[in-house]
Amino acid sequence: NIKNQNQQVSLPAPESVNIQAEINALREIIGQLETSDRRKIENAFEDAQEELNKPQPDKDEEGEALNRALKYAKKAEGFAAAIEKLQPRLSKITAWLGEN
């Protein structure tokens, strides 16, 4: 469980997560934000996708790429408003990544 502003967030079982669908949804939500870092965000998602396409994706690499995308997205106009839509996606992605 992850503590988020004094809330307990229960994570789903990692094997229940469709990681591809979650990353696609995350990419779509972030894609709607106004940002000058669009290219950097897209590059990070492309790195994440490339890792995911491997037979045995490295979850550390996957996590780093997604963290990069989020780091740039946090600076974007409208990020605070999008956090509610992002939260369930991030919980599932975090569960899939596990300790990474």
Side-chain angles (χ1 to χ4, degrees), residues 22-31 42 45-46 49:
E22 296 307 323
I23 289 175
N24 290 348
L26 192 69
R27 193 174 192 168
E28 190 175 314
I29 295 164
I30 289 175
E42 278 305 308
F45 274 116
E46 284 170 19
Q49 187 59 55

Side-chain angles (χ1 to χ4, degrees), residues 26-52:
L26 192 69
R27 193 174 192 168
E28 190 175 314
I29 295 164
I30 289 175
Q32 294 168 5
L33 301 175
E34 287 298 317
T35 178
S36 59
D37 289 322
R38 171 85 41 234
R39 190 69 229 141
K40 291 176 182 175
I41 291 170
E42 278 305 308
N43 287 343
F45 274 116
E46 284 170 19
D47 290 348
Q49 187 59 55
E50 194 175 304
E51 191 59 43
L52 206 55

Side-chain angles (χ1 to χ4, degrees), residues 67-82:
N67 270 336
R68 268 199 344 265
L70 284 168
K71 184 180 86 177
Y72 292 118
K74 281 179 188 169
K75 301 176 196 168
E77 186 83 28
F79 182 78

